[in-house]
Amino acid sequence: MNLQTIDQTYVMPTYKRNYTNFVKGDNATLWDDAQQHYIDFTSGIGVCSVGHANARVATAIAQQAQKILHISNLYVIEPQAKLAQAINALYDQKVKCFFANSGAEANEGAIKIARKYGEKDGVPKRYKIITLDHSFHGRTISALKATGQPDMHTYFGPFPDGFVYAKDIDAIESLIDEHTVAVMIELVQGEGGVEAQDKAKVQALAKLCKARNVLLIVDEVQTGVYRTGEFTASQTYGIKPDVITLAKGLGGGVPIGAILTPLDVLHGGDHGSTFGGNYLVTSAALEVLSILKEAYDAKRIDQLARAFDAHVEALLVKFPAIFTKHVGIGLIQGLRVNPDIPVANVIAKAHAHYLLVLKAGRNTLRFLPALTMTEDEMSQGFARLESALFDL
Ligand SMILES: Cc1ncc(COP(=O)(O)O)c(C=O)c1O
């Protein structure tokens, strides 16, 4: 059986898959099993923040694997404690961290924090969480229900109660009632179409939440860890939310999620995870943060973001029949595609020109490059995209 047949025979068909077999990577370059090389503008959907096969992360993982990978959260875990400390050094308010294994799990924990906060915070009990239309918070039952996309709620019920959807950030205030405990938003909706919220409106929302004693939870699973320029998108937006969730870019490819909060809500027995924050993932994440802090301090992330932005803008100008708008900030960028052109066709054509790109929402071409991408990789990638677009 070839690889495709094995996959289709034994793996659940939950993903629409491309069957290129990637066998090796180096920063933002990938090779398939026929030694063809590709430029990667996706970084594994925002995960490989320091690129593929990063030598420092590989060494950190190998060295840790030779010592100890897992002991359980019944014991102190040195790289876990140091990762929480490192996060505090990068963030601008003191927070405690809980480590999970994915974005959805981090959001589940954030929802639990809000629900418990609502329990103890007076009568009547507050439990409602307002989220936005077109949001995406994950695939577990509560994170899915928090996701403001009704077509994702077709099966799998009954869902937990208490999620309310606002059509946009302006509509949140009118939905707050005596049962509302939290608002949960992405500052740039990733899956929803690379939709960046307006900074002034986000700051006004943060003030409103404070005034109404409603928690502000910011889902930074996709935007966190320097993707928007600062360590968190909340810092880019100049707000201090009550809870932030991180995942994707934090581990550089190992599965990790994190909840950051200054609140003292969860205590012994309230939450847990067998694998969460083990030696493997937290030693990798510590190295990722150290690499990215160096890149940030040397202004390399900022320079890359500006150069990438200029390339995307040039495409908008050059292909007015294909693209209608340039969206996103930092290194989460996108181009709205003319509704008559299926984004899947653009992605397939880019792939045929050996470039990996992503879709977001209904008609957005999305770019989530590694934050360490070289100038050469970037210009090669855009040259391939241009050829693909001429060939569309
Ligand atoms: C904003 C946001 N939240 C949550 C998730 C879910 O993360 P995971 O797939 O790691 O559970 C994603 C994944 O794309 C995301 O973009």
Side-chain angles (χ1 to χ4, degrees), residues 331-345:
L331 287 162
I332 173 166
Q333 301 242 353
L335 284 162
R336 293 258 193 280
V337 178
N338 179 331
D340 298 335
I341 304 171
V343 180
N345 292 5

Side-chain angles (χ1 to χ4, degrees), residues 84-384:
Q85 186 183 37
I87 287 172
N88 268 275
L90 299 174
Y91 187 48
D92 48 17
Q93 69 173 325
K94 190 169 166 290
V95 285
K96 287 210 173 170
C97 303
F98 177 91
F99 293 102
N101 309 284
S102 66
E105 249 189 85
N107 287 338
E108 287 282 332
I111 292 165
K112 281 177 72 175
I113 288 174
R115 290 280 169 86
K116 188 167 177 211
Y117 182 85
E119 286 265 344
K120 68 169 189 184
D121 202 57
V123 179
K125 184 179 164 185
R126 301 192 301 146
Y127 59 91
K128 280 191 194 167
I129 297 175
I130 301 172
T131 67
L132 291 180
D133 280 358
H134 312 295
S135 55
F136 184 74
H137 298 296
R139 299 283 188 165
T140 56
I141 291 283
S142 321
L144 195 61
K145 188 62 177 167
T147 293
Q149 301 187 47
D151 53 341
M152 294 182 88
H153 306 155
T154 310
Y155 310 111
F156 318 118
F159 287 99
D161 283 341
F163 292 97
V164 179
Y165 312 104
K167 117 176 153 346
D168 54 31
I169 197 164
D170 299 324
I172 290 176
E173 183 168 8
S174 65
L175 292 172
I176 296 177
D177 65 19
E178 76 271 28
H179 298 298
T180 307
V181 71
V183 169
M184 175 152 124
I185 58 166
E186 298 155 85
L187 297 177
V188 184
Q189 287 188 335
E191 302 306 308
V194 195
E195 192 61 49
Q197 297 296 346
D198 175 79
K199 192 168 178 176
K201 287 186 181 183
V202 166
Q203 292 183 348
L205 175 68
K207 270 201 199 118
L208 172 75
C209 286
K210 262 279 119 54
R212 303 286 292 267
N213 192 21
V214 166
L215 299 183
L216 179 59
I217 302 171
V218 177
D219 176 347
E220 297 219 25
V221 166
Q222 193 157 148
T223 57
V225 194
Y226 297 104
R227 176 105 358 234
T228 66
E230 300 300 322
F231 172 58
T232 62
S234 297
Q235 286 160 291
T236 303
Y237 274 77
I239 57 163
K240 290 183 179 163
D242 300 291
V243 183
I244 289 180
T245 55
L246 302 175
K248 291 178 179 287
L250 180 60
V254 297
I256 187 168
I259 308 167
L260 283 49
T261 182
L263 301 174
D264 177 30
V265 175
L266 295 184
H267 300 127
D270 282 339
H271 200 44
S273 164
T274 295
F275 294 116
N278 78 9
Y279 288 85
L280 167 71
V281 296
T282 51
S283 54
L286 264 174
E287 197 58 36
V288 166
L289 291 190
S290 144
I291 294 165
L292 291 178
K293 167 132 189 359
E294 284 171 29
Y296 173 84
D297 289 344
K299 308 250 183 285
R300 286 198 299 275
I301 296 178
D302 185 48
Q303 281 159 11
L304 177 65
R306 283 168 197 272
F308 203 92
D309 188 272
H311 275 288
V312 177
E313 190 62 27
L315 284 180
L316 175 71
V317 174
K318 196 158 188 174
F319 296 95
I322 301 178
F323 301 122
T324 58
K325 195 177 172 196
H326 175 187
V327 289
I329 53 174
L331 287 162
I332 173 166
Q333 301 242 353
L335 284 162
R336 293 258 193 280
V337 178
N338 179 331
D340 298 335
I341 304 171
V343 180
N345 292 5
V346 182
I347 293 174
K349 201 49 99 176
H351 195 90
H353 286 258
Y354 308 113
L355 173 74
L356 273 57
V357 284
L358 290 161
K359 183 180 176 189
R362 212 156 271 145
N363 65 333
T364 303
L365 187 67
R366 178 173 43 151
F367 311 109
L368 291 172
L371 310 179
T372 53
M373 171 177 266
T374 64
E375 232 180 283
D376 184 50
E377 287 171 323
M378 181 175 56
S379 42
Q380 271 199 54
F382 279 105
R384 289 173 191 208

